[in-house]
Amino acid sequence: MRSDEIKVGYSRAPNRSLLRSLGITDREMSLPFIGIANAFNTIVPGHVHLRQLSEKVREGIAAAGGVPFEFGTIGICDGIAMGHEGMRSSLPSRENIADSIELMVDAHRFDGLVCIGTCDKIVPGMLMAAVRCNIPTVVLTGGAMLSGYRDGQELSLIDIFEGVGMVAGGVMTEEVLCELECSAMPGCGSCQGLYTANTMACLTEAMGMSLSGCAAIPAVDSAKLRIARETGEVVVSLVNKKILPRDIVTEQSLKNAIRVDMALGGSTNTVLHLMAIASEAKIYISLNDFNAISDEIPHICDMQPAGPHSMQTLYRAGGIPAVLTRLIKHLDDTPTVSGRTIKQIAAAASVKDESVIKPTTSPVNMGGGLKILKGSLAPDGAVVKCAAVDKGMWQHKGPSRVYDGEQKAMKGILAQEIKEGDVIVIRYEGPRGGPGMPEMLSPTSALVGMRYSKVVLVTDGRFSGGTRGPCIGHVAPEAAVGGPIAFVQEGDQIEVDLFEKRIDLCVDTKTIEKRKKTWKPIKKSLKGVLKRYAKTVEQANIGAVQR
């Protein structure tokens, strides 16, 4: 066993002495040592309940013949960080989480690992660590929050973000917004819709790194406690069988995850995260793979924020196993941590509500929920959640309204500077220029709340999984490195065509070259983590990984 390096032989007497101080017995010294990376904290709603789950994991590990050791990782709530300078810290935290787990695993020579997390950057960071360390690992995602409720209507966090725009537009009072604020988020768990946290939970299950059914179980359901116990038992089995993450996370299993992403209409952030996980596993996945799979897989689940269904509704309809059943002919048959293959899981499942998980022959949309756009404005690609875009806006051409940063754009939107038909450009918010690609849920939600219906938003930053409407992010190359988005001027025509997967700046090459000669990138005063991050992060089209 790997842990023998810290506990076998007379030369390891000092190491064993420290282990004995923890209460480790002679019998336990001969058992597999299992690390539990737990993102529990009391500031993130998706993480506040994870201590209870970790207790069940510990029970499972001990019952199966392992010795559990728990340690912490950080976790940022994107919702709390949204709309201010704190949002720049979110994406860099993904790398911090992966690094911290790697350091703990390597230093303490664990034989196996359980990763317990829920929210947006935590689960991707844990998956990156799993394939990097490549010791037997199971991921336990913490589950979604129950829906809020007011006056016969289910609520989620997006209702509050959009309510801000309604107040600014004069169609809602602050008193009503306060009532919504107090009703929307009833307890622990990740935000209720198919936003980034829940999308990543679904994709973790689809790639085989969590137990079947795990993703959609609500945070407060006792089934989550039971699957936590089973997770602890299973990781010991993986250690005994020497089954490693890179046996499970393969090109085929990542493409299965993309297929499920397309079927669900998941968050645009998954493009960044899946590519980063692939990079850690030494697997080549490109933006072209997302488009190819989008053309193949129909969008069959009309999930929040674009549709009516919450994660709780998906759970009642059969969860991810039921989605896999719908896609079984499209899936590669890959192994999972459960010991069953993905097609065995799909074959054993059933759809309990066809209004939620539709047949592939009568889907919500014939194409997948995400598209990669390219063109003169984004030569290296941009991402749009087409499942959340009204068909009437799949083709649009309009004048640009240019803002150097989210805060300026938000002020302009709330001041009603925007007219129907405009294309809002928010730049210098990319991986390096932001730095950290802050999410743009505040401006996108304000546009919806203020009842704009024919406005496109384009950015080299990111969008929350809660975004809906014609919002195009991850524009690469970004403005800070001299991408074409840096040379857009107020009033330039921008053309978007989701059918053709294109986004173009309608300005001739000579004019662009002339603008380049006088261009100077915006310089920001940075310190600490963000300063280091800006120097080492790559572009969005390769996952915003650090080199």
Side-chain angles (χ1 to χ4, degrees):
M1 288 186 294
R2 193 169 183 264
S3 60
D4 287 349
E5 296 176 40
I6 62 169
K7 63 187 183 183
V8 173
Y10 73 87
S11 66
R12 292 303 177 211
N15 310 67
R16 288 195 300 273
S17 181
L18 290 165
L19 291 168
R20 290 182 192 282
S21 77
L22 302 173
I24 302 302
T25 65
D26 285 342
R27 183 186 69 86
E28 289 175 318
M29 287 291 186
S30 65
L31 301 178
F33 281 11
I34 310 296
I36 303 173
N38 188 358
F40 163 81
N41 61 49
T42 58
I43 184 63
V44 182
H47 292 172
V48 72
H49 65 301
L50 297 186
R51 182 175 287 168
Q52 185 181 22
L53 294 185
S54 73
E55 289 173 358
K56 300 302 289 186
V57 171
R58 291 171 65 91
E59 289 176 13
I61 290 169
V67 185
F69 297 90
E70 186 173 357
F71 61 91
T73 68
I74 65 167
I76 288 174
C77 176
D78 281 15
I80 296 173
M82 196 77 66
H84 56 84
E85 288 298 302
M87 192 67 230
R88 303 190 190 286
S89 299
S90 176
L91 186 57
S93 76
R94 184 186 72 181
E95 269 61 27
N96 181 288
I97 291 160
D99 291 348
S100 67
I101 293 173
E102 177 193 11
L103 292 170
M104 289 296 288
V105 166
D106 284 353
H108 299 103
R109 314 314 290 166
F110 293 126
D111 299 299
L113 179 67
V114 174
C115 294
I116 308 175
T118 302
C119 292
D120 295 40
K121 309 307 172 297
I122 294 83
V123 173
M126 288 177 164
L127 286 165
M128 291 165 68
V131 295
R132 185 190 299 176
C133 298
N134 205 33
I135 64 171
T137 302
V138 186
V139 177
L140 173 67
T141 51
M145 189 185 297
L146 299 180
S147 294
Y149 186 83
R150 178 180 176 272
D151 295 340
Q153 178 186 359
E154 286 193 341
L155 300 173
S156 75
L157 182 64
I158 305 310
D159 293 290
I160 313 307
F161 272 100
E162 293 181 359
V164 172
M166 293 180 186
V167 171
V171 296
M172 179 184 287
T173 65
E174 290 189 49
E175 289 74 20
V176 172
L177 179 60
C178 183
E179 291 178 21
L180 289 174
E181 169 191 331
C182 296
S183 306
M185 311 298 283
C188 66
S190 51
C191 299
Q192 302 96 330
L194 194 69
Y195 316 139
T196 306
N198 291 324
T199 307
M200 282 308 306
C202 294
L203 303 195
T204 302
E205 184 178 331
M207 73 177 73
M209 284 297 290
S210 61
L211 292 181
S212 178
C214 181
I217 300 171
V220 297
D221 197 302
S222 62
K224 185 62 75 173
L225 295 175
R226 293 192 292 273
I227 207 164
R229 165 75 184 226
E230 291 167 0
T231 294
E233 295 171 357
V234 163
V235 73
V236 178
S237 175
L238 294 179
V239 170
N240 293 334
K241 295 175 182 176
K242 297 181 173 59
I243 297 174
L244 306 177
R246 292 196 194 183
D247 298 326
I248 293 167
V249 180
T250 62
E251 181 181 344
Q252 291 73 30
S253 71
L254 286 173
K255 288 183 176 178
N256 281 342
I258 298 172
R259 290 175 181 118
V260 169
D261 201 2
M262 296 301 172
L264 294 171
S267 164
T268 53
N269 285 316
T270 58
V271 177
L272 284 178
H273 299 325
L274 288 175
M275 293 182 73
I277 294 162
S279 178
E280 292 286 356
K282 310 302 181 187
I283 297 165
Y284 179 71
I285 296 288
S286 76
L287 293 181
N288 292 334
D289 292 310
F290 287 84
N291 265 346
I293 293 173
S294 179
D295 290 341
E296 169 197 359
I297 301 296
H299 171 211
I300 59 174
C301 297
D302 202 8
M303 302 290 292
Q304 295 175 355
H309 302 311
S310 66
M311 285 297 294
Q312 185 178 1
T313 305
L314 180 65
Y315 173 60
R316 290 170 176 166
I320 295 305
V323 176
L324 295 172
T325 294
R326 291 293 199 214
L327 302 180
I328 191 166
K329 294 180 180 178
H330 298 279
L331 299 172
D332 292 315
D333 200 16
T334 55
T336 74
V337 293
S338 70
R340 294 187 293 165
T341 69
I342 205 74
K343 282 197 172 184
Q344 286 173 334
I345 291 169
S350 62
V351 176
K352 298 175 183 178
D353 188 340
E354 291 202 347
S355 70
V356 178
I357 306 173
K358 295 181 178 294
T360 56
T361 52
S362 55
V364 181
N365 293 296
M366 288 305 297
L370 299 175
K371 287 185 184 292
I372 307 300
L373 310 182
K374 291 190 176 182
S376 60
L377 186 60
D380 293 337
V383 184
V384 63
K385 187 173 183 175
C386 55
V389 182
D390 184 90
K391 278 295 195 295
M393 286 298 291
W394 276 44
Q395 291 177 313
H396 180 80
K397 185 176 182 180
S400 62
R401 302 301 309 274
V402 183
Y403 297 95
D404 290 339
E406 179 190 6
Q407 298 301 322
K408 292 179 180 179
M410 190 64 178
K411 288 179 182 178
I413 292 167
L414 294 180
Q416 300 184 27
E417 295 176 0
I418 308 303
K419 298 177 181 178
E420 290 283 23
D422 285 349
V423 178
I424 301 172
V425 175
I426 305 178
R427 62 191 179 191
Y428 294 102
E429 297 289 17
R432 294 187 186 179
M437 291 187 79
E439 291 183 354
M440 306 287 178
L441 184 56
S442 294
T444 59
S445 296
L447 289 169
V448 173
M450 294 172 75
R451 300 294 194 261
Y452 286 101
S453 61
K454 298 185 183 302
V455 171
V456 174
L457 201 157
V458 179
T459 182
D460 51 9
R462 297 182 295 129
F463 293 116
S464 163
T467 295
R468 58 190 174 113
C471 301
I472 299 161
H474 307 196
V475 169
E478 64 177 299
V481 299
I485 193 171
F487 310 120
V488 181
Q489 292 187 1
E490 191 82 5
D492 286 347
Q493 292 288 309
I494 294 175
E495 186 170 11
V496 176
D497 190 329
L498 271 57
F499 296 104
E500 296 296 325
K501 307 185 186 78
R502 290 199 60 83
I503 179 167
D504 290 303
L505 174 61
C506 303
V507 176
D508 64 86
T509 304
K510 287 184 179 180
T511 301
I512 295 297
E513 291 301 319
K514 184 178 179 180
R515 292 176 185 177
K516 282 184 181 181
K517 293 178 181 178
T518 58
W519 171 72
K520 292 182 180 180
I522 292 175
K523 299 292 185 181
K524 298 180 180 178
S525 178
L526 302 172
K527 59 180 174 58
V529 172
L530 293 182
K531 185 175 182 179
R532 294 194 299 272
Y533 185 83
K535 288 180 178 179
T536 58
V537 69
E538 298 285 356
Q539 291 297 286
N541 61 299
I542 54 174
V545 294
Q546 283 186 276
R547 299 298 186 192

